[in-house]
Amino acid sequence: MARNWISTPRVEGKASRQAHADLPEGTYERELGREGFFGPATHMHHRHPPTRWTRFEGDLRPRAFDTTHCGEFGPSPWDSRALLSNASVKIRIWEMSGSMDQLARNADGDELLFVHRGAGHLFCDYGHMAFGEGDYIMLPRGTMWRLESAEPVRVLLIEATNSAYQLPDKGLLGPHAIFDPAILDAPVIDEAFLDQQDETEWEVLVKREGAITRITYPFNPLDAVGWHGDLMPVRINWRDIRPLMSHRYHLPPSAHTTFVANRFVVCTFVPRPFETDPGALKVPFFHNNDDYDEVIFYHRGEFFSRDNIHPGMITWHPCGFTHGPHPKALQNALEQSKAGTDEVAVMIDTRDALHVEEPAASIEWPDYVDSWKE
Ligand SMILES: [Fe+2]
């Protein structure tokens, strides 16, 4: 972890003594920070909200995509092209129903599924696991898998290209904070799994460097009768997350990290009470997270820092400008009318610049950049 190269913070002009609390009257706090909320940072007190721009000209801007408008989905997850991607991560939306009649295998990296809608059954090398709305399912690279569902299942797929998902270091809090790793479920070899083993022909669609290879077997290769080891798919539902919070300090989004991979992290925002200290900020502080691009997938609830955002939307704030609460949300900075937020959202912060892929262009809400205007 990088440390600050100036050991003592300096103070200039009118400033608060601590971050995110007791701001000078009539000012707006902006955090200029490095290393994604872990590195050197300065809190600046502005006369105007730093999101009151009148125009962006050029490619860099906050962007929003409405995945509820994603229409046609093929029978394989590999039919869905990435919406946003870089060398370390690919973000896709996919919907299926019925029973996948081919197996999928990602040879490019671990795959994290987040179940936005629906419920069903996962069958994979390791056995059977039922899943439902709000589950994360982490599939290690190379796992063969398929889904069965009577209802449409819509998933957010987050590929850790060339790397593996791990749990974050919880530091001072100890390993059982946020969620106890004992809550992670794994597939089991049960009757349902043994019953699906058959001697008919099965194809495996292997994705490697984005290209698909078909491997045919004269039997169902999900034919294990047992296994032992410490490599396996795991599942956790957002309802199992017990979020960190402080009644006196607005925690940075990094406090909500669920998984880490090479050059990106996945965080989960779940329902929690608002801060109650009179001087503490109750909405996210304005910030430029100068080393990361930030993506949020809105799953359910009311998004307390955003106006005009509904479940199924994705926002992307590339690094290079300041972002923060929308005008209506900003009115609640010091006094919230509600006791807490019911939002559930998945955040993906990437160390390297993301690229908008062609399927995302057709579902873009182009006016998002203007959504901070009063
Ligand atoms: Fe942010």
Side-chain angles (χ1 to χ4, degrees):
M1 200 66 65
R3 297 310 312 159
N4 203 338
W5 39 273
I6 298 171
S7 55
T8 311
R10 305 195 184 177
V11 182
E12 260 313 306
K14 263 193 248 171
S16 58
R17 298 286 307 277
Q18 298 197 62
H20 322 321
D22 305 322
L23 309 185
E25 183 77 28
T27 65
Y28 300 91
E29 181 197 48
R30 173 170 65 122
E31 180 173 298
L32 298 80
R34 304 299 302 276
E35 302 287 340
F37 307 101
F38 291 95
T42 281
H43 297 91
M44 206 158 277
H45 304 286
H46 291 284
R47 292 182 198 276
H48 301 98
T51 47
R52 290 289 162 83
W53 46 70
T54 50
R55 252 195 325 273
F56 268 60
E57 288 163 298
D59 287 340
L60 175 74
R61 63 186 191 279
R63 297 175 72 167
F65 308 94
D66 189 349
T67 70
T68 62
H69 295 150
C70 286
E72 304 279 295
F73 295 96
S76 153
W78 314 146
D79 294 324
S80 289
R81 288 183 45 208
L83 301 173
L84 294 165
S85 76
N86 66 26
S88 312
V89 63
K90 313 280 179 286
I91 301 168
R92 298 182 173 82
I93 290 281
W94 180 54
E95 188 175 294
M96 64 76 63
S97 61
S99 189
M100 283 168 70
D101 55 7
Q102 292 159 319
L103 300 171
R105 172 185 240 168
N106 193 345
D108 287 325
D110 283 7
E111 192 80 67
L112 185 64
L113 277 61
F114 178 76
V115 182
H116 178 50
R117 295 272 181 269
H121 299 269
L122 165 80
F123 294 92
C124 67
D125 283 303
Y126 300 81
H128 163 236
M129 189 158 73
F131 65 84
E133 174 274 310
D135 277 344
Y136 281 108
I137 304 168
M138 194 287 290
L139 296 164
R141 186 179 193 165
T143 301
M144 291 191 285
W145 60 278
R146 65 185 183 87
L147 305 182
E148 275 185 18
S149 171
E151 57 181 313
V153 170
R154 187 170 281 226
V155 290
L156 175 73
L157 292 147
I158 311 163
E159 174 189 294
T161 312
N162 272 322
S163 76
Y165 282 106
Q166 298 185 313
L167 299 181
D169 175 8
K170 294 173 191 165
L172 287 176
L173 301 162
H176 307 114
I178 311 174
F179 64 85
D180 184 330
I183 197 79
L184 296 169
D185 289 322
V188 293
I189 305 249
D190 59 6
E191 219 163 292
F193 184 68
L194 296 172
D195 281 352
Q196 58 90 55
Q197 297 180 346
D198 61 29
E199 301 300 317
T200 61
E201 191 171 274
W202 278 86
E203 278 183 342
V204 187
L205 302 186
V206 185
K207 185 172 79 67
R208 176 67 177 155
E209 292 195 298
I212 307 303
T213 295
R214 280 166 198 270
I215 304 176
T216 305
Y217 285 88
F219 54 86
N220 183 347
L222 302 185
D223 64 351
V225 296
W227 53 272
H228 68 109
D230 59 4
L231 175 69
M232 71 201 82
V234 292
R235 181 198 49 194
I236 182 172
N237 191 279
W238 65 260
R239 294 170 183 83
D240 297 321
I241 294 173
R242 298 169 185 275
L244 290 185
M245 73 106 30
S246 160
H247 66 295
R248 301 200 65 205
Y249 176 70
H250 189 90
L251 296 173
S254 46
H256 306 293
T257 306
T258 313
F259 299 101
V260 297
N262 185 32
R263 303 189 76 74
F264 75 96
V265 298
V266 177
C267 307
T268 315
F269 301 125
V270 299
R272 60 169 181 78
F274 288 125
E275 295 77 4
T276 51
D277 180 280
L281 277 186
K282 279 99 186 158
V283 294
F285 42 94
F286 291 104
H287 59 281
N288 27 300
N289 185 3
D290 284 307
D291 288 316
Y292 282 81
D293 276 17
E294 300 180 359
V295 174
I296 298 182
F297 175 79
Y298 300 89
H299 174 57
R300 58 181 264 169
E302 211 178 297
F303 303 104
F304 76 108
S305 68
R306 297 265 171 276
D307 305 341
N308 306 308
I309 292 289
H310 56 252
M313 290 184 83
I314 289 177
T315 58
W316 171 39
H317 299 159
C319 74
F321 59 90
T322 301
H323 58 269
H326 274 88
K328 254 198 271 165
L330 189 56
Q331 292 165 9
N332 302 326
L334 290 178
E335 206 162 339
Q336 277 285 4
S337 50
K338 293 180 186 162
T341 166
D342 67 349
E343 73 174 21
V344 181
V346 175
M347 184 170 86
I348 302 145
D349 277 12
T350 69
R351 187 68 193 225
D352 306 302
L354 285 162
H355 307 287
V356 178
E357 302 293 340
E358 186 255 314
S362 63
I363 56 164
E364 182 160 8
W365 172 32
D367 298 332
Y368 182 57
V369 64
D370 295 323
S371 63
W372 280 266
K373 291 179 181 167
E374 293 257 33

